[in-house]
Amino acid sequence: MTNASIDQAGGGDITLGLDTFGDVTNDAEGRPLSHGQTIRRLVEEGVLADRVGLDHFGIGEHHTDTMPLSAADVVLAAIASRTSHIRLGSAVTVISSDDPVRVFQRYATLDAVSGGRAEVILGRGSSIESFPIFGYDLNDYEELFEEKLSLFAELLREKPVTWSGNTRASLDGHSIYPHSESGSIPTWVGVGGSPESVVRTARYGFSLMLAIIGGETARFAPFSQLFQQALEKFGQPRRPVGVHAPGHVAATDEQAVEEFLPAFEATIRSVAKQRGFRTPTRESLMRDVGPGGALHIGSPETVARKITATLTDLNATRFDLKYGMHGMSHSAVMTNIELFGTKVAPLVREMIGA
């Protein structure tokens, strides 16, 4: 194995974690778990991620029958009470349809409960279910994200806030509590492929999380470069770049594909139909499973090699594997977590020399 070269200035050590959308999985008889069972088992997944030595565990906000994780911070608090090391955060919080003040308060509370292990990944929301639920107009999609991101940046200073906009009530010197013990909650913005979003992230001084769900990962390399250039332009210190991508680890490449790809394909086909983009084929998905593609699926060594290549190509220092899909077995999900922590993570660190 050869060491990869990654410029870690501003990024610190390589960190490896897991993200989940709380997908409803199946029991041993192939029956879907209830929402309650899904959430309770999600707590067990977070506890296992801590036990096997992973650095991060994130829960993405969704509001659907197959992804019933509408209150990620509550579940993360339950995980915090049973863990001691792993950092806990959102992946992502849909800031556009939420109140930035309440998001800050919830994650500052999680930070206290967890002993300083909370973080937030903010996003505009690729899924739009939350907008009608909370009474927001999709015609205001851009304005909602821009204004609420700007307010959250002010809240992170943990000083009296004066702010005004069109999407919520103004603040006039208000102090927002609780404060975090470190003085600021680590905050990232999830970006799916827009240069403007990369520059905005740099302007507000957040870290950058590249959300890559399909295609070649190397096409995101210019975004990583643009981010550091924009930070310098805005007088911001260098900040880390992370990668969030789907995947699954099993004993062999063939087993991993068999367990994960049918569920992933069914979900992507459904999403494509809802949103009107091109439906993927099995051939195109298998290209993504191959070298350079966005799907990190296979045996521990296969996945480790691919993560190492992804981090190197994008000059990133963090990788979060989005694991689990609706319809998978819960036992396969738990095995994935164990293998990722005990086999994949050590191999990646060895390959990179971290």
Side-chain angles (χ1 to χ4, degrees):
M1 298 179 188
T2 59
N3 288 352
S5 175
I6 295 177
D7 174 12
Q8 296 188 36
D13 295 332
I14 296 297
T15 61
L16 301 166
L18 293 167
D19 291 341
T20 175
F21 296 163
D23 308 77
V24 173
T25 54
N26 292 349
D27 63 17
E29 284 72 45
R31 297 170 300 194
L33 300 175
S34 69
H35 291 172
Q37 289 171 312
T38 296
I39 292 169
R40 288 190 292 274
R41 291 197 177 186
L42 181 52
V43 174
E44 298 299 330
E45 292 164 20
V47 171
L48 178 59
D50 180 70
R51 188 181 307 140
V52 297
L54 290 169
D55 299 305
H56 306 275
F57 189 81
I59 300 176
E61 174 190 347
H62 286 82
H63 301 261
T64 70
D65 182 39
T66 58
M67 294 181 286
L69 263 295
S70 54
D73 50 294
V74 177
V75 182
L76 291 167
I79 296 171
S81 70
R82 296 177 55 189
T83 57
S84 57
H85 163 76
I86 199 163
R87 296 195 62 82
L88 302 166
S90 60
V92 301
T93 293
V94 184
I95 192 70
S96 305
S97 59
D98 211 329
D99 183 347
V101 172
R102 294 297 287 145
V103 172
F104 174 82
Q105 290 175 324
R106 296 197 303 265
Y107 280 88
T109 301
L110 174 64
D111 197 62
V113 169
S114 65
R117 291 184 283 136
E119 59 179 42
V120 186
I121 303 178
L122 304 174
R124 65 174 66 235
S126 59
S127 300
I128 60 174
E129 294 86 2
S130 61
F131 286 79
I133 290 173
F134 299 114
Y136 290 103
D137 189 337
L138 280 173
N139 291 323
D140 300 329
Y141 190 81
E142 291 292 338
E143 184 179 28
L144 284 165
F145 186 64
E146 177 70 42
E147 285 200 356
K148 295 189 175 189
L149 205 60
S150 73
L151 175 53
F152 200 85
E154 292 298 319
L155 293 165
L156 286 178
R157 301 176 191 276
E158 302 194 6
K159 297 179 180 178
V161 177
T162 297
W163 179 93
S164 63
N166 299 319
T167 56
R168 78 170 312 280
S170 299
L171 297 173
D172 185 10
H174 287 80
S175 294
I176 306 301
Y177 304 111
H179 289 168
S180 66
E181 290 179 317
S182 67
S184 186
I185 299 171
T187 302
W188 304 64
V189 172
V191 173
S194 163
E196 294 79 12
S197 294
V198 172
V199 172
R200 179 195 288 121
T201 301
R203 175 159 50 90
Y204 286 124
F206 299 121
S207 300
L208 179 68
M209 181 63 69
L210 296 171
I212 308 176
I213 63 171
E216 295 184 0
T217 56
R219 77 188 194 278
F220 283 80
F223 293 155
S224 183
Q225 298 165 6
L226 175 63
F227 180 59
Q228 300 300 346
Q229 292 166 358
L231 286 170
E232 184 176 356
K233 174 184 175 182
F234 294 123
Q236 297 279 3
R238 285 178 66 87
R239 297 188 182 279
V241 174
V243 179
H244 156 111
H248 180 67
V249 189
T252 66
D253 292 350
E254 295 75 17
Q255 182 182 349
V257 169
E258 180 182 345
E259 289 177 348
F260 184 83
L261 203 61
F264 182 79
E265 182 177 8
T267 297
I268 293 297
R269 283 181 174 274
S270 175
V271 170
K273 184 176 181 180
Q274 292 170 7
R275 302 184 194 173
F277 60 77
R278 187 171 64 181
T279 303
T281 63
R282 176 55 67 98
E283 182 182 14
S284 69
L285 290 173
M286 286 305 297
R287 284 198 298 270
D288 283 352
V289 173
L295 299 179
H296 294 65
I297 302 172
S299 68
E301 180 138 352
T302 295
V303 173
R305 284 198 303 268
K306 195 163 189 180
I307 291 173
T308 300
T310 296
L311 290 172
T312 304
D313 290 345
L314 303 185
N315 200 25
T317 57
R318 171 172 170 172
F319 185 91
D320 288 353
L321 185 81
K322 191 282 168 185
Y323 74 93
M325 296 299 301
H326 173 58
M328 290 184 65
S329 74
H330 183 68
S331 63
V333 166
M334 294 294 276
T335 299
N336 165 80
I337 295 172
E338 184 168 4
L339 289 174
F340 192 76
T342 61
K343 302 292 185 181
V344 175
L347 283 170
V348 172
R349 298 186 195 286
E350 179 184 344
M351 292 175 183
I352 291 178

